[in-house]
Amino acid sequence: QVQLVESGGGLVQPGGSLRLACAASGTFPRIFAMGWYRQAPGKERELVADITMGRGTTDYADSVKGRFSISRNDAKNTVYLQMNSLKPEDTAVYYCKAAVDWSAGRYDYWGQGTQVTVSS
């Protein structure tokens, strides 16, 4: 099984920064990619950013390009999300996702979520 533990959420003023971290633990063959999604009240869960663990290929939502940066530490099975120039509309629960390759196929695992609130 795969467990994901997120950290780093909290309350920040507009224009501020936060750094989220997500560490994967357990016994598994290989993580293909990890990423961050968010869900605001009354809205669908959406991709924020993801990154492949081998090549480091990244993908970002248009709304966060230029402000957020995703990185990873393959040896620690950890992904980070540096969030700068935060806006009130970034307020949401942020979820970490890992796509793991098993012999039977690729499966997604989710963390429990961490609250990010941007408010003055």
Side-chain angles (χ1 to χ4, degrees), residues 7-53:
S7 61
L11 173 65
V12 64
Q13 292 187 342
S17 298
L18 281 176
R19 187 181 191 229
L20 306 182
C22 174
S25 63
T27 303
F28 45 85
R30 188 178 85 98
I31 297 178
F32 171 73
M34 295 181 75
W36 291 95
Y37 288 70
R38 67 187 181 188
Q39 187 166 20
K43 294 189 175 182
E44 300 270 327
R45 189 174 296 189
E46 62 175 0
L47 171 70
V48 177
D50 64 16
I51 185 167
T52 60
M53 300 304 275

Side-chain angles (χ1 to χ4, degrees), residues 9-13 18 86-88 90-92 94 115-119:
L11 173 65
V12 64
Q13 292 187 342
L18 281 176
L86 281 160
K87 304 175 180 180
D90 294 318
T91 296
Y94 283 68
Q115 177 70 46
V116 171
T117 302
V118 184
S119 176

Side-chain angles (χ1 to χ4, degrees), residues 46-111:
E46 62 175 0
L47 171 70
V48 177
D50 64 16
I51 185 167
T52 60
M53 300 304 275
R55 295 176 177 232
T57 303
T58 58
D59 188 25
Y60 293 91
D62 288 343
S63 59
V64 307
K65 285 179 180 176
R67 300 187 297 122
F68 292 10
S69 177
I70 190 169
S71 60
R72 92 284 188 200
N73 183 322
D74 289 11
K76 294 184 178 181
N77 290 318
T78 299
V79 65
Y80 306 94
L81 184 68
Q82 178 66 42
M83 304 186 292
N84 298 327
S85 302
L86 281 160
K87 304 175 180 180
E89 50 263 44
D90 294 318
T91 296
V93 177
Y94 283 68
Y95 296 92
C96 176
K97 188 186 88 169
V100 177
D101 285 336
W102 300 89
S103 57
R106 183 170 294 164
Y107 294 88
D108 292 337
Y109 298 84
W110 292 88

